[in-house]
Amino acid sequence: MIEPGVYEHFKGARYEVIGVGRHSETEEPHVFYRQLYGDGGHWVRPLAMFTEHVDRGDYHGPRFRRVE
């Protein structure tokens, strides 16, 4: 499971994970997080997508990795 804390996206931006909640109808888990740059906007992404492995160009690894 994803723990609250600071995570880095594979493209380099950092985000603070606030927690994981469930969709009210499907009960699919979603990660709630905010960007640590710009306007500090809040985002929601399905847990499966947040934790998936990415293969893009020369990068092969997790979409987000915990950095603290």
Side-chain angles (χ1 to χ4, degrees), residues 13-57:
R14 290 194 175 192
Y15 299 85
E16 178 188 13
V17 168
I18 298 173
V20 176
R22 295 197 173 272
H23 189 282
S24 63
E25 294 186 19
T26 66
E27 295 193 19
E28 178 186 13
H30 285 71
V31 178
F32 181 65
Y33 59 104
R34 73 177 183 92
Q35 61 191 45
L36 296 176
Y37 60 92
D39 67 359
H42 289 83
W43 299 86
V44 176
R45 183 184 294 255
L47 177 64
M49 182 184 282
F50 192 91
T51 59
E52 75 184 346
H53 185 88
V54 174
D55 290 312
R56 299 263 176 92

